Amino acid sequence: VRGAHTLELRMQRASANALELARFLEAHPKVRRVHYPGLPSHPDHETAKRVLSNGFGAMLSFELEPSRAAVNALLHHLEHVRMALSLGGAHTTLSHPATSSHRFLPPAEREALGLHDGFLRMSVGIENLEDLRTDLERGLGAV
């Protein structure tokens, strides 16, 4: 119950961090695609601007080359962002659907859903934005 008092502030910070990280990832040469409604490149961006008046949320996803080697290289070089099975919280976490939530689907079915081996989901937290950006830059540099 105590956490409810700061929920609005935490969501504002997480949403602002997510937008900036989405912009950073979209501009990075090792990132093939970013899925975040706050980006003009998102197919539902105009709708999101109308209905999401308090920010675009803390969840985003992005795609590296479709290989586990690329994902592993990224993950092994991160210090602040952690791999987790559950998403949401004050700390930024990544989820890899091909090896977690959708691991039991045959590869062809995952591919049909757009969940190739290079697809990652990120739940952005309230940490210092520059720490997160630096962490991702280091990780992506290893890909």
Side-chain angles (χ1 to χ4, degrees):
V1 172
R2 288 183 301 182
H5 296 291
T6 60
L7 179 61
E8 182 179 1
L9 290 172
R10 288 183 284 126
M11 288 309 302
Q12 287 171 355
R13 173 70 174 260
S15 182
N17 280 353
L19 178 59
E20 290 307 314
L21 291 178
R23 288 174 176 156
F24 164 77
L25 290 167
E26 187 173 54
H28 199 283
K30 300 233 177 125
V31 176
R32 293 171 39 159
R33 188 167 181 199
V34 178
H35 307 272
Y36 186 69
L39 295 174
S41 59
H42 191 279
D44 297 318
H45 179 67
E46 289 304 315
T47 300
K49 283 193 325 188
R50 262 192 339 272
V51 300
L52 301 174
S53 58
N54 292 322
F56 298 100
M59 297 296 301
L60 63 92
S61 59
F62 63 98
E63 300 176 31
L64 303 177
E65 64 180 83
S67 78
R68 288 189 186 177
V71 169
N72 288 338
L74 170 76
L75 294 175
H76 289 303
H77 288 84
L78 297 175
E79 293 178 15
H80 298 285
V81 180
R82 298 284 179 226
M83 186 75 157
L85 293 177
S86 62
L87 301 172
H91 300 285
T92 301
T93 58
L94 282 173
S95 169
H96 185 239
T99 58
S100 61
S101 60
H102 292 75
R103 70 185 172 277
F104 296 113
L105 288 179
E109 283 186 50
R110 284 197 314 268
E111 287 283 334
L113 293 171
L115 302 175
H116 57 76
D117 283 345
F119 185 92
L120 292 157
R121 288 188 180 129
M122 180 182 284
S123 176
V124 180
I126 61 173
E127 302 97 331
N128 178 280
L129 177 62
E130 286 311 309
D131 289 345
L132 296 173
R133 192 183 341 247
T134 299
D135 207 24
L136 288 168
E137 182 65 49
R138 180 179 40 257
L140 289 167
V143 172

